[in-house]
Amino acid sequence: MTFNEQELVAGCKRRDRTAQKQLYDVFGGKLFAICLRYTKNKIDAEDVLQEAFIKIYEHIGSFRSDSPVEYWMRSVVVNTALNHLRQQKHWKELGDLETYEAGLADGNVTLADFQHQQLLEIVQELPTGCRTIFNLYAIEGFQHNEIAEKLGISEGTSKSQYARARSLLQQKLNRENRLDNETIRKK
């Protein structure tokens, strides 16, 4: 689908329903994938996406066109997902794990051994705090001091949760790889 970003944004600023639908059609899938990374299931991801698009439509007038609209929309989606997580009772699971070992579990498993859907499911299985910080640091590219400020936690908590997420992911990837290898050997 071809579109002119400036015309699309201008249409959305005028609250043109056709432009709003086209904006959703162009970016909805990518933004839904972001929502899935922060939530544990599709229903929550759909709720976050819907809430994010409401915010996008309401605040598109504040978009300054100095970067692609997709970057601005991603920011809205991430912030909406974080607000959704804050409303969850288990959000306060985040704890400072200063004694936590930052090393990864042993193994030679690489991400190339897994399909995108498998990786998404493994990330979704992480505890909320680990999953959130992993997404913010490893995928969105925020630094630990920025994450700490964004989430109202200490920088040490951000670092320890990220280390815990990496370790848990490595363990899960090793376990999944072993299961896949056992299945192959049985055939």
Side-chain angles (χ1 to χ4, degrees):
M1 169 184 280
T2 60
F3 68 96
N4 179 310
E5 185 173 296
Q6 291 176 335
E7 289 177 14
L8 190 57
V9 169
C12 288
K13 286 181 179 181
R14 292 189 310 268
R15 300 192 185 276
D16 177 336
R17 296 282 185 204
T18 304
Q20 290 175 335
K21 182 181 181 328
Q22 187 177 9
L23 187 75
Y24 179 85
D25 290 344
V26 170
F27 297 106
K30 289 179 184 178
L31 299 178
F32 182 68
I34 294 169
C35 296
L36 277 173
R37 286 197 329 258
Y38 284 91
T39 59
K40 283 195 176 255
N41 59 57
K42 287 183 178 183
I43 293 171
D44 286 344
E46 289 168 351
D47 288 347
V48 169
L49 183 66
Q50 180 179 2
E51 189 177 332
F53 263 100
I54 290 169
K55 290 177 182 178
I56 288 166
Y57 296 144
E58 287 177 355
H59 300 286
I60 198 153
S62 67
F63 173 66
R64 292 175 290 173
S65 300
D66 54 352
S67 64
V69 71
E70 182 177 355
Y71 295 154
W72 177 77
M73 292 172 60
R74 286 176 60 96
S75 176
V76 172
V77 168
V78 168
N79 287 329
T80 303
L82 294 177
N83 287 337
H84 174 80
L85 292 173
R86 280 188 198 101
Q87 293 171 357
Q88 307 298 312
K89 297 294 179 205
H90 57 273
W91 174 248
K92 293 301 177 189
E93 289 174 0
L94 286 177
D96 212 350
L97 303 173
E98 293 182 14
T99 61
Y100 189 76
E101 297 280 334
L104 293 175
D106 291 333
N108 295 324
V109 178
T110 66
L111 295 180
D113 296 332
F114 296 90
Q115 294 180 345
H116 180 266
Q117 186 61 34
Q118 286 176 300
L119 292 173
L120 177 61
E121 289 170 4
I122 291 170
V123 169
Q124 286 177 318
E125 291 173 6
L126 290 172
T128 302
C130 291
R131 182 179 66 245
T132 302
I133 290 173
F134 178 81
N135 281 317
L136 289 170
Y137 185 81
I139 298 173
E140 302 297 337
F142 288 100
Q143 298 300 309
H144 288 295
N145 61 335
E146 296 169 314
I147 295 169
E149 184 177 321
K150 205 176 228 347
L151 299 180
I153 59 175
S154 73
E155 192 172 336
T157 298
S158 179
K159 289 177 180 178
S160 64
Q161 287 288 314
Y162 178 68
R164 182 172 178 224
R166 284 183 48 178
S167 179
L168 289 171
L169 284 172
Q170 185 67 47
Q171 291 170 17
K172 289 176 184 287
L173 291 171
N174 284 335
R175 188 173 57 243
E176 292 288 326
N177 194 41
R178 276 195 297 276
L179 291 175
D180 287 348
N181 287 339
E182 288 174 13
T183 303
I184 291 170
R185 281 193 292 268
K186 289 179 183 177
K187 288 185 179 181

